[in-house]
Amino acid sequence: MSLGLFITGTDTEVGKTVVTAALAAALAKRGLRVGVMKPAESGCPSLEGRLMPQDALFLKAMSGCTAPLELINPYAFVPPLTPALAAEMAGVAIEIDHIRACYQQLAATHDIVLVEGAGGLLAPLTAELSMHDLATALDLPLLVVARNILGVINHTALTVTVARQTVPVVGIVLNNNHPTDQQAEQTNAESLRRWGRAPLLGQFPYIPSLERDQLSSLGEAIDIDGLLSSLRG
């Protein structure tokens, strides 16, 4: 039976894609067939008349997932806005049943499927549904990516508390997406262990640019054995 994990963040631009890709590369290095998914992506450039979802393409390349892009990224939009607004502007109705069907096809051919949300947990997916609702509909536990800045304790604890209303939270990854030199940034990992309300599974250092080999090594910063154990129940 395939395992699944939904990766959310405490905000947008916190490093969800890097963490998802690094985890995917590390899992693939262990011999697992890793599927990846970015159900809705905004801010996509166009190439020869086709939208190119950059996050989804990056996940596909770094994971080695050979599934069609249409399964990995069912919805792509040009405006760099939350998916609900981008879809409205494009005149597209995001159907959660279609996303679920794409996920199920990926799950049927992979050992584990990593689903990266857009924005934070309550970012709107449709006029009525959020990323939290999507994780709930897919029945997936959550991994929370937190940006290492002042205020991360509150942002993370809020995200975990809301998520646990309907889905389990397996842990937190603290990501340094800029050079770290402030006192809060140097103490946030220990603070999250105390007050994050979920296990801290790893911390990513700041790395300006990444290749696939670096990503698999970076992914080992996550307690993968503990993560897999939690997913397997």
Side-chain angles (χ1 to χ4, degrees):
M1 184 177 183
S2 179
L3 302 175
L5 180 66
F6 194 100
I7 295 89
T8 192
T10 53
D11 199 353
T12 191
E13 301 297 330
V14 299
K16 294 187 303 296
T17 302
V18 169
V19 171
T20 304
L23 179 57
L27 290 168
K29 192 174 180 180
R30 292 189 175 206
L32 294 175
R33 296 173 300 164
V34 182
V36 290
M37 191 175 189
K38 180 86 174 185
E41 183 169 341
S42 305
C44 301
S46 178
L47 179 64
E48 297 179 353
R50 179 176 180 179
L51 293 182
M52 305 300 289
Q54 298 301 293
D55 288 352
L57 288 167
F58 182 68
L59 293 177
K60 179 176 171 63
M62 295 303 107
S63 65
C65 180
T66 60
L69 187 59
E70 291 74 18
L71 289 182
I72 294 172
N73 174 234
Y75 295 101
F77 305 104
V78 173
L81 302 169
T82 193
L85 286 176
E88 287 178 6
M89 290 181 176
V92 173
I94 295 178
E95 300 289 346
I96 203 162
D97 286 343
H98 176 56
I99 295 175
R100 186 188 290 112
C102 292
Y103 172 80
Q104 289 171 345
Q105 289 186 62
L106 288 168
T109 54
H110 295 85
D111 299 313
I112 185 168
V113 180
L114 307 179
V115 181
E116 182 197 341
L121 185 66
L122 295 185
L125 175 66
T126 71
E128 296 83 21
L129 302 173
S130 67
M131 291 295 153
H132 185 199
D133 296 311
L134 177 57
T136 303
L138 296 178
D139 194 24
L140 295 178
L142 257 69
L143 178 69
V144 178
V145 179
R147 178 169 45 202
N148 192 8
I149 57 170
L150 182 65
V152 72
I153 303 169
N154 180 60
H155 299 162
T156 305
L158 282 171
T159 299
V160 172
T161 298
V162 171
R164 280 185 168 157
Q165 294 174 5
T166 59
V167 294
V169 178
V170 296
I172 302 160
V173 173
L174 182 62
N175 182 49
N176 290 281
N177 55 6
H178 64 278
T180 302
D181 56 10
Q182 301 299 315
Q183 186 175 18
E185 296 166 345
Q186 295 168 2
T187 59
N188 276 335
E190 182 56 35
S191 295
L192 287 176
R193 290 188 182 95
R194 297 177 65 185
W195 299 300
R197 304 194 179 187
L200 180 65
L201 295 182
Q203 180 174 1
F204 279 21
Y206 171 68
I207 300 177
S209 60
L210 291 168
E211 302 296 335
R212 186 176 181 185
D213 289 344
Q214 289 177 295
L215 276 174
S216 63
S217 298
L218 187 61
E220 294 294 343
I222 300 174
D223 178 9
I224 292 179
D225 290 331
L227 174 63
L228 291 174
S229 178
S230 296
L231 295 179
R232 290 168 177 150

